[in-house]
Amino acid sequence: MSFNSFSEFLSMGGHGLYVWLSYALGLSVILLNLAAPLMERSRLIAQLKRRLQRENQSP
Amino acid sequence: MVEKKKWLPRWFYQLASPRWCFQICGKLLPGFSVAALVLLLGGMVWALLFAPADYQQGNSFRIIYLHVPSAILAQSCYMLMAVAGAIGLIWKMKVADMVAKSCAPIGATMAVLALLTGAIWGKPTWGSWWVWDARLTSMLILLFLYLGVMALNSAIESESTAAQASAVLSLVGLVNIPIIKYSVEWWNTLHQPATFKLTERPAMPADMWVPLLVMVVGFYCFFAVTLMLRLRNEILRRERRSGWVRDLLLSK
């Protein structure tokens, strides 16, 4: 462990803003890259299902 | 009759089948997801709590654990996009076109992350958010190449024409990759040289580079997950008229 206290960990030796901003960005980019295809998947499946039902109803 | 010898392995031909590719991605996804979660979480805790502070840069050095993996991934993703585009051009393989198309947005976000973390790291270290340095500029060009490929893909209506055009652009843009790599050697730059080299041991101590390696591997696993998610969507969308997709939709 390279920090003695939690406040020391948060301040990162005066570089807290830079470090935490980077990690917040990193996490949001990772989560965005997972959320976007998952949301697209449910949207796509719902859309394709609707289309399939329409085709089945009006042959 | 002499049977014609296949010069590519069987799985290469199987990969060309969208249905097979969809299924194999579905099977690989859970494993890669768990690996990515464990490696990224473990790597981040290690990077933030246990890795030692740099004797010159202090704790701002911890940004390296996001900056280097995202920069490496942005370049690897570009190479994959260009190779997949080339395979699509040569063998007219639909799945390869879909891989190339799925790579572009992922690579673009990785390039953005590398540039932003670099800027945030540059402020306390160099005293400036941005300098027109060779490494930074070539990385910015990489981002623009990704954006160009994405724009081509969305602007051209015909899927095969869009795939061809973006494959050509990504192949031309491939020149940029060695420029990024060697920019720190060819030009006098502020940017420090590469941390990992294939031929030498890293210059930093092991308790600094081992967590970095964990993060790099974690980012690759995460890339595999998000690429397969996007690829499966793309396969479903383009194969929507085929029987197996209809069956899949009905069974849901």
Side-chain angles (χ1 to χ4, degrees):
Chain A
M1 189 82 88
S2 37
F3 299 98
N4 296 318
S5 68
F6 188 66
S7 60
E8 207 176 288
F9 174 60
L10 282 185
S11 82
M12 284 279 164
H15 288 140
L17 175 68
Y18 304 113
V19 173
W20 295 117
L21 192 59
S22 300
Y23 277 80
L25 274 171
L27 275 180
S28 31
V29 163
I30 288 172
L31 292 178
L32 182 83
N33 264 314
L34 295 177
L38 287 174
M39 276 156 58
E40 166 69 13
R41 178 185 165 82
S42 44
R43 195 195 59 79
L44 183 71
I45 287 181
Q47 182 199 341
L48 293 181
K49 263 181 150 172
R50 272 201 305 277
R51 179 176 298 180
L52 202 60
Q53 275 161 2
R54 264 204 312 276
E55 282 171 14
N56 287 346
Q57 276 163 8
S58 55
Chain B
M1 280 290 284
V2 182
E3 200 181 323
K4 198 182 163 216
K5 195 163 180 285
K6 283 184 179 161
W7 57 281
L8 284 166
R10 192 178 138 87
W11 59 263
F12 188 79
Y13 293 97
Q14 281 179 322
L15 219 55
S17 146
R19 182 183 186 178
W20 190 84
C21 197
F22 185 87
Q23 284 164 347
I24 198 81
C25 283
K27 281 186 191 137
L28 290 174
L29 264 171
F32 275 104
S33 307
V34 171
L37 188 71
V38 170
L39 288 169
L40 286 180
L41 274 182
M44 274 194 198
V45 171
W46 196 347
L48 284 170
L49 277 173
F50 298 100
D54 187 76
Y55 76 102
Q56 278 181 324
Q57 302 181 6
N59 284 308
S60 67
F61 155 81
R62 295 179 199 281
I63 297 173
I64 201 178
Y65 297 106
L66 286 172
H67 179 70
V68 166
S70 56
I72 290 178
L73 196 55
Q75 294 168 69
S76 306
C77 179
Y78 192 88
M79 289 192 270
L80 175 61
M81 182 172 81
V83 169
I87 292 175
L89 276 182
I90 297 165
W91 283 285
K92 306 271 178 257
M93 201 187 270
K94 269 198 286 182
V95 173
D97 290 344
M98 298 184 208
V99 169
K101 188 183 174 186
S102 309
C103 274
I106 306 171
T109 58
M110 285 301 129
V112 166
L113 183 59
L115 285 167
L116 286 179
T117 52
I120 295 170
W121 195 8
K123 186 62 187 166
T125 314
W126 303 336
S128 165
W129 298 101
W130 182 265
V131 284
W132 288 102
D133 170 290
R135 174 56 79 78
L136 279 68
T137 310
S138 52
M139 204 62 196
L140 189 64
I141 292 171
L142 185 75
L143 174 62
F144 290 153
L145 284 167
Y146 276 127
L147 296 179
V149 169
M150 286 165 72
L152 274 182
N153 269 323
S154 61
I156 303 175
E157 196 129 329
S158 149
E159 273 159 358
S160 59
T161 318
Q164 281 174 355
S166 47
V168 170
L169 175 60
S170 32
L171 283 170
V172 172
L174 210 50
V175 210
N176 193 35
I177 294 292
I179 295 181
I180 297 176
K181 175 149 174 48
Y182 293 107
S183 57
V184 283
E185 292 168 26
W186 290 345
W187 289 283
N188 274 323
T189 69
L190 273 177
H191 197 283
Q192 62 197 45
T195 310
F196 290 124
K197 295 189 184 104
L198 286 175
T199 48
E200 293 166 39
R201 289 181 59 81
M204 52 170 71
D207 45 2
M208 282 182 170
W209 66 256
V210 175
L212 184 55
L213 195 62
V214 171
M215 285 300 280
V216 171
V217 178
F219 262 73
Y220 272 109
C221 291
F222 153 73
F223 172 63
V225 171
T226 176
L227 178 65
M228 288 193 285
L229 287 175
R230 279 185 188 276
L231 181 60
R232 272 162 65 96
N233 287 346
E234 195 63 24
I235 292 174
L236 275 187
R237 201 173 61 76
R238 288 204 207 176
E239 298 293 305
R240 59 185 178 271
R241 290 189 190 85
S242 66
W244 69 272
V245 173
R246 283 163 187 261
D247 292 344
L248 190 83
L249 289 171
L250 287 175
S251 69
K252 273 187 188 286

